[in-house]
Every structure is written in structure tokens, then in C-alpha cells.
Amino acid sequence: MDFFHVLVVLLESTIRVSVPLVFAALAGLFTERAGVFDIGLEGKMLGAAFAAGAVAAVTQSVWMGLLAAILISILLSLVHGYASITQRGNQIVSGVAINFIVAGSTVILGEAWFRQGGRTPALAEGARFQTINLPGADAIREVPVLGPIYADLLSGHFLLTYLAFAMVPASWWILYRTRFGLRLRAVGENPGAVDTAGISVIWLRYRAVICCGILCGFAGAYLSLAMTAGFVKGMTAGKGYIALAALIFAKWRPKNVMFACLLFGFLDALAIRLQGTPLPLVGQVPVQLMQALPYILTVILLAGFIGKAIPPKAGGVPYVKER
Amino acid sequence: MSTPYAKLPGWVEYGLIPLINLAVAFLVAGLVVLLVGENPFEAAYHLINGAFGRGEYIGFTLYYATTFIFTGLAVAVAFHAGLFNIGGEGQAYVGGIGVALACLWLDQVMPWYVVFPLAIVGSVFFGALWAFLPGWLQAKRGSHIVITTIMFNFIASSLMVYLLTRVLKPLGSMAPQTRTFAEGGQLPKLDWLLSIFGLNVGTAPFNISFLLALAAAFGVWVLIWRTKLGYEMRTMGNSPSAARYAGIRESRITVITMMISGGLAGMMALNPIMGEQFRMQLDFVQGAGFVGIAVALMGRSHPGGIIPAAILFGVLYQGGAEIAFEMPSISRDMIVIIQGLVILFAGALENMFRPAITRAFAMRGQRAAAVVQTKGA
């Protein structure tokens, strides 16, 4: 029973840390499927987390915070879109630039506005998300096996957590079952064909970039309004890059994205859990190895040793109309 | 892809356009200063004064510039072959192992001029090693170099935390760093170079690796524009298909270019480790690998542009520290914003003002032609 309890706790924290990854990786899924590479996920998430924390602190409203997060994130996405779609600039360079601008601005503005060393004030109860108890969770808790799974693992999460996991089938549906999704995927594979069909490549890509902005907004808001009560400088701490790794690991498919994020989240949770405890057979695993594992796995995957990750064909290439 | 832009005179292409992009980046940075509620002109004054106001300040500016020349060259060499090496950060970090090993081994028995060459070899070796894997994976397995180098940055950072907390840390010490090097592991300052101009270097760690950086810049120029390898690299960068038809072995060039790039990034470690801190500390690279991207973009991947661009970033780092000191509401993170804006405007949006400039030049050209015609009549 003890092992079971540990497992439930571990999986519960896996879900908790996976949420921003799921949002951000789905965000990347939309733009990259449309042919715009985005390594600025980190920056967008950080910008959104800051906007959420700052606005929620000022307005004392969690919804205003969420709205601000989404708006800022869309704005940053549009900058990326303008640079890489309209100006046909280098998408990687643009993403790097956004990460830098946000990393610096959140600290400077946070310090100037709140004077708490780059943090936003701690949020009171109404200004952040509260956990939701699913119906009957308390009643069923004492039931063996099923009880803890339902009451501790599935119940007691934030609204955004449920939204994140609901977004997985929703994204699948949008991408594979709607006309917009079909065109969006086409524009990432062969923009020329889409253009010939009389559909605007530019407008489609902008819409994909906006979808990315919305989802990154949720990811950021989750960090500062749900996971913690307020913004702390640099709080994304590489999650944007892990999401990027998860996206590649998932070979740009929605369902795989969820599992990749859960896997990386699990490794993260496990690393914290295992700190200082020796494992049977292998002895004590350095925490650093556990932390590097998602990146190492991604490199191995990219090298084609565990299946091949083939990115959308037109990814990273700005579209130039035949003249 | 063909460039849809008309050809412009060299001084416009390499002088005016980067300057306009830079000016816009600073303009936007000025807006951020306004947003914070400070005076941008006052900030600009502290920036310039903090970077050049005293011999000591100039020493610091050039110390930072040294670092950025190395990382800028690293990114530029890869750019020429059409590779985007975003892993300079990790390569510089791992390059530090080579420097630290040479110093820890010989610092007590040998003078610096024996340790230094070994440390150079070590830094190049480890930096190149860290770039070899992404290069090889791209060449042989088709992994995207940008993604692998990003991943390698994170792996490097975990590796270094492990090494510095468990392996290279002296017994009984709590801080994650190597022991302090004896005299043999410390580079002499370039105080004589500044004293030629009547300046006193003071406490600034401006050291001999600056000269190495200049030599590396010259070496890169020779490599890219005066050797067969450089020609092949540029061909591959301009047109991979042309390179393939010409019988250039792409995978070989990719791996070699990445190793040169990584080696240059690794050399960056000499400056802070042997020139300033005299030990290897956690996080000694401090984002210099990423600054290299901005430097290479600003300097148009040419050593002649990279050196001034690196000095510009040296000014930002040193002057930025002064701003942070004089104007407490503007912390050093302002540099990060400016850096991001430079990358955005000089890199991703480099063509934003080009149509307008091209139009202006076309108009001037027409007028000149008209003048010639009327005179001829």
C-alpha cells in the first residue's frame, strides 16, 4: 500500500508540472504545423505569467489576470508573426529575440511597478485559481485503490489543469476535423499549393500564430495564478524549451504531445522525489542526470534512434509568392 | 531562395542598414526606460560615461568585448556555412573544463605562458567536442542543428552543475567551484596597452586573451575568405544544392564547421576563468553564448564587423552596470532587453527598412542619371 501511495503522489505532481508543458507544446503544435517555427514559447509563457501576476495583483481578479496573459502572449506572437511571416525574417532569430526581450522586461517592469525584487505581490484568494473538488471526491476517498485515484489524482486540480487536458482532443479535432485545420496543416507542408487554391498563406499563418499566443497565455497564467500565487522572475525556467522538446518528441501530433509532456513531467517529479535516495541496482542517480534526461531523450530521438521525428516540410521557411 | 531585394552600395549594406537597425533598437529601449519612469537621456549619459569615462571603465568594456568577440566569431563561422549554432553557451561552458584542467594541473609548477597555450588547446578541444556531436548528428542523422544545440546547452548546464558540485570542487568546500589557481593559472593584464593612451586599467580584468581574440578574428577572416575550406563553407551556406553539385562533401563541412565554431566558443572560457576569477565557477558564461548571436548578426558575420559589435556589447555590459548603479530603478536586465531588441531588429527584421532605403537610392540614382542626360544634351 505504501508503494501505491507514493505512486499516487508522484503521478499527482506529474500532472501538476505537466500542465504548462501541455499548453505550451500545443501552442507550438499550431504554429509549427503551419510552418512557423517557434523557439519563443519560453518568452511568451514568461510574458504571460508576468502579465497575469501583475494584472491580477492590481485588479484582484483572476479573470483579468488570465485575460492580460492571453493578450500579452498574442501580442508577442504577432511580433514573431510580423518578423517571420510579413518581413520573412529568420524565425529562429526572432524567437531568440522575443525570449530575451521578455526575460529583461519582466524583471525591469516588475521591479519598477512593484519594487519586490522582480516579483509581483502575493495574490490573495480571489486573485488566483482555486482547486476544484470533483463531485463525491471526499465520500469515495476511503475506498481502496479507486478512492485515492479519484480523490487525489483526478480531483483537486485547477480549472486550467482540466482545460489543458481538454485542449488535447480539442486541438486534434481542430487540426484534423475542421477546414481550418486541414488548411493549416497544408500551409505547413506545401504553402504553394494552398496559395494556388486561392487561400491566403499569410492570413492562415497569422491565425496559427494567434492560436499559439492564446495557448501560451494559458500556460503562463497557470504558472503565476495557479501553481504559485504570483510572478517570480524567470519562473518558466526552461519549460518553454522542454515543451519544444516534447513537441518534437511527439512528432507534432496532439495525443503524443500529451504523453510526451506527461513523460517529461514525470521525470521532473521523479527527480525531485529521488533526490538523495539510492536506487536498486544503479545506486544513486545524480539529480542533474534526471534533469537532463528530457533533453538527452530528445537528442536521441532526433538522431532517429527511436523512430524518426519529421517536422512539417515548410517549417522555418518564409513563403515568397512566385513573381 | 533568391533575395527579392535590389543590390545596394557596400557602405549602405554594411554600414547604414545595421546602424539604422541599431538606432531603432535603442529607440525602443528608450521607450522601456520611459515606461519605468526614468529619463532615457540620463540613462544614455550613464551608459557612455560608465563605458568610457575612465581607464578602468574602458578596461572593463574591453574585457567584456573580448568574451563577445570569441562567441560572435563562433556564431559567424557557422552562419557562413548556413548553420545556426545556438549552442555557443553550452560550448563555452564545457570549454571551461579544458581551461580548468590545464590550470589545476600545472598552475603551481609552471608560469602562465606555459599554462596558457595548454589551456587554449583544452578550451578548443572541449568546445569543439561539445559542438561535434550536434554537427555529426546533423550531418549523419539529419537532426536539426538548432534544436540539438539548444538541447546541448541544457545538457551542458546539468553536466557542469554535476562536475562542479561533485568532481572538481575541492574537498571541504561548499561553493560549487574549483580551487583558486596559483599564479601560473592567472593571465597577465594588458595594463601596458592602455597606458600607451595614458589610461590606468585599475582593477579591470582586461587581459592578454584580448590579443588572442583579435588573432582569432584575423584567423577567421583568413579561414573564410582565403582558404579552400572557407570557400566550400560559404558555397554550402549560399546554396547547398550548388555545393552538392560541385562535389563538396556536405557532411564533412558541417562537422568541421561546427567544431571550429565550438572551438571558438570554448576559447571564450579563457577570459573569465584565467583572466578574471582565477577559478571555474558555476555559470561563468553568463549568457555570452547568446550575446554572440547578436554580435554576429550586428557584425554581418565579418570579423571586421564583429569586433566593433563586440565592443558595442562590451559598452552595454559595462555601461549597463553603471546605469544600474546610478539609477536603481533600471537594473542590469536592461542589457538583456537591448540585446533582444538588437537581435530582433538587426536579425529577424533586418529587411524592414530596406525597401524604403532602396527606394531612396533608386530615386537618387535616377536624378543623377537625369543630370548626366541634360548635361549631355
Side-chain angles (χ1 to χ4, degrees):
Chain A
M1 226 21 221
D2 192 36
F3 172 76
F4 179 72
H5 175 73
V6 169
L7 190 70
V8 167
V9 171
L10 199 59
L11 290 180
E12 200 258 320
S13 58
T14 298
I15 291 176
R16 209 174 40 231
V17 294
S18 299
V19 172
L21 299 181
V22 171
F23 275 128
L26 288 175
L29 182 70
F30 275 93
T31 46
E32 302 212 346
R33 269 303 176 118
V36 180
F37 278 164
D38 193 357
I39 61 172
L41 294 175
E42 175 87 3
K44 267 174 260 185
M45 217 195 306
L46 189 64
F50 175 71
V55 171
V58 173
T59 61
Q60 289 301 317
S61 154
V62 64
W63 301 109
M64 292 308 284
L66 179 63
L67 188 70
I70 292 173
L71 286 180
I72 285 293
S73 178
I74 290 179
L75 191 75
L76 291 167
S77 290
L78 288 177
V79 171
H80 183 59
Y82 177 70
S84 48
I85 302 169
T86 305
Q87 290 292 334
R88 301 195 289 267
N90 187 317
Q91 299 171 3
I92 309 287
V93 172
S94 164
V96 172
I98 286 170
N99 288 345
F100 272 91
I101 294 170
V102 173
S105 328
T106 48
V107 179
I108 296 254
L109 295 179
E111 180 57 30
W113 293 343
F114 302 106
R115 306 212 176 273
Q116 295 186 12
R119 303 167 140 268
T120 60
L123 296 172
E125 213 155 273
R128 60 186 156 96
F129 285 102
Q130 302 298 320
T131 51
I132 298 168
N133 273 324
L134 295 183
D138 289 322
I140 205 174
R141 179 161 282 138
E142 299 310 317
V143 178
V145 185
L146 275 181
I149 289 183
Y150 184 75
D152 295 329
L153 200 54
L154 298 179
S155 172
H157 290 287
F158 301 101
L159 178 65
L160 288 180
T161 311
Y162 298 111
L163 180 69
F165 287 96
M167 278 313 292
V168 177
S171 302
W172 174 85
W173 189 78
I174 292 172
L175 282 172
Y176 291 91
R177 285 292 177 273
T178 65
R179 190 159 61 168
F180 168 65
L182 173 72
R183 289 173 173 179
L184 188 137
R185 283 182 294 130
V187 94
E189 296 291 334
N190 190 346
V194 175
D195 197 17
T196 314
I199 302 157
S200 167
V201 171
I202 299 205
W203 171 225
L204 252 175
R205 285 195 168 167
Y206 265 110
R207 276 186 286 171
V209 161
I210 291 170
C211 290
C212 168
I214 295 170
L215 287 165
C216 277
F218 280 120
Y222 178 83
L223 288 178
S224 60
L225 298 182
M227 217 172 176
T228 51
F231 173 83
V232 185
K233 81 176 189 185
M235 77 185 307
T236 44
K239 287 193 182 64
Y241 296 103
I242 291 266
L244 201 64
L247 182 60
I248 297 161
F249 211 73
K251 302 174 184 173
W252 292 271
R253 281 171 212 288
K255 185 187 70 188
N256 297 2
V257 162
M258 183 183 77
F259 286 118
C261 291
L262 284 171
L263 171 68
F264 290 172
F266 179 73
L267 289 175
D268 200 14
L270 196 65
I272 298 164
R273 180 87 207 170
L274 283 184
Q275 207 151 11
T277 33
L279 280 182
L281 297 178
V282 278
Q284 193 170 339
V285 183
V287 201
Q288 290 82 21
L289 181 66
M290 297 292 291
Q291 281 162 348
L293 213 49
Y295 305 114
I296 297 172
L297 285 176
T298 307
V299 169
I300 295 173
L301 175 90
L302 278 169
F305 291 118
I306 28 176
K308 196 120 182 87
I310 301 164
K313 228 179 259 143
V317 189
Y319 180 66
V320 185
K321 227 181 187 28
E322 211 77 49
R323 67 191 71 228
Chain B
M1 196 188 65
S2 61
T3 45
Y5 300 106
K7 200 163 160 53
L8 291 165
W11 67 272
V12 178
E13 185 72 33
Y14 297 107
L16 190 62
I17 289 183
L19 273 182
I20 291 176
N21 291 334
L22 188 68
V24 175
F26 272 92
L27 218 66
V28 178
L31 289 180
V32 177
V33 175
L34 274 180
L35 213 57
V36 173
E38 293 280 354
N39 182 349
F41 293 103
E42 197 190 334
Y45 167 76
H46 288 304
L47 180 78
I48 300 298
N49 185 51
F52 297 113
R54 257 194 253 165
E56 191 174 357
Y57 297 166
I58 295 178
F60 269 106
T61 299
L62 291 175
Y63 163 75
Y64 290 121
T66 307
T67 291
F68 303 146
I69 292 175
F70 284 124
T71 53
L73 289 172
V75 177
V77 165
F79 265 151
H80 278 290
L83 301 165
F84 194 178
N85 178 12
I86 207 163
E89 189 77 8
Q91 290 142 18
Y93 210 176
V94 174
I97 300 175
V99 182
L101 288 182
C103 292
L104 291 173
W105 177 36
L106 287 173
D107 64 335
Q108 279 150 342
V109 286
M110 290 288 174
W112 71 269
Y113 49 81
V114 177
V115 180
F116 189 42
L118 279 171
I120 295 174
V121 173
S123 67
V124 171
F125 175 77
F126 278 96
L129 181 78
W130 208 247
F132 165 77
L133 281 167
W136 184 82
L137 289 171
Q138 154 116 355
K140 297 288 177 193
R141 317 278 322 181
S143 346
H144 199 298
I145 201 112
V146 171
I147 306 291
T148 11
T149 47
I150 291 177
M151 300 298 143
F152 266 68
N153 282 342
F154 285 103
I155 299 171
S157 125
S158 291
L159 174 74
M160 295 301 277
V161 173
Y162 175 74
L163 286 178
L164 283 170
T165 50
R166 307 225 183 171
V167 184
L168 293 171
K169 188 182 72 170
L171 280 178
S173 155
M174 288 305 287
Q177 56 191 29
T178 63
R179 69 172 167 80
T180 306
F181 307 144
E183 215 154 290
Q186 307 189 356
L187 292 179
K189 283 193 192 180
L190 279 181
D191 40 3
W192 53 269
L193 190 69
L194 285 188
S195 63
I196 297 175
F197 305 98
L199 297 165
N200 180 6
V201 75
T203 59
F206 178 46
N207 63 77
I208 199 143
S209 53
F210 176 69
L211 300 181
L212 182 71
L214 295 184
F218 179 71
V220 165
W221 176 78
V222 171
L223 169 75
I224 301 288
W225 281 278
R226 288 291 179 274
T227 65
K228 179 164 171 271
L229 178 64
Y231 179 75
E232 292 179 332
M233 282 162 57
R234 281 184 293 138
T235 310
M236 203 177 94
N238 282 328
S239 166
S241 51
R244 223 166 295 142
Y245 287 126
I248 293 172
R249 282 158 62 198
E250 245 181 302
S251 53
R252 184 172 154 266
I253 303 289
T254 302
V255 173
I256 293 177
T257 306
M258 280 306 286
M259 287 179 75
I260 295 172
S261 176
L264 283 163
M267 278 158 96
M268 167 270 163
L270 295 160
N271 192 35
I273 293 181
M274 285 186 84
E276 197 217 351
Q277 295 149 0
F278 311 129
R279 59 178 102 96
M280 181 161 73
Q281 293 173 313
L282 212 55
D283 237 358
F284 68 86
V285 184
Q286 296 199 320
F290 296 115
V291 181
I293 299 169
V295 168
L297 289 169
M298 268 303 303
R300 294 283 159 127
S301 299
H302 191 290
I306 286 171
I307 294 172
I311 292 176
L312 173 79
F313 273 91
V315 168
L316 281 180
Y317 267 65
Q318 170 53 22
E322 196 62 21
I323 296 181
F325 184 72
E326 296 283 341
M327 304 165 83
S329 55
I330 303 178
S331 68
R332 291 199 58 162
D333 296 274
M334 194 68 214
I335 309 167
V336 182
I337 302 182
I338 298 179
Q339 198 178 319
L341 290 168
V342 168
I343 294 176
L344 184 68
F345 286 104
L349 291 172
E350 62 167 342
N351 292 326
M352 192 158 76
F353 302 104
R354 196 180 289 262
I357 295 167
T358 313
R359 231 174 296 131
F361 270 86
M363 252 152 66
R364 216 183 68 163
Q366 273 170 3
R367 211 170 297 151
V371 169
V372 171
Q373 261 183 351
T374 42
K375 270 185 188 161

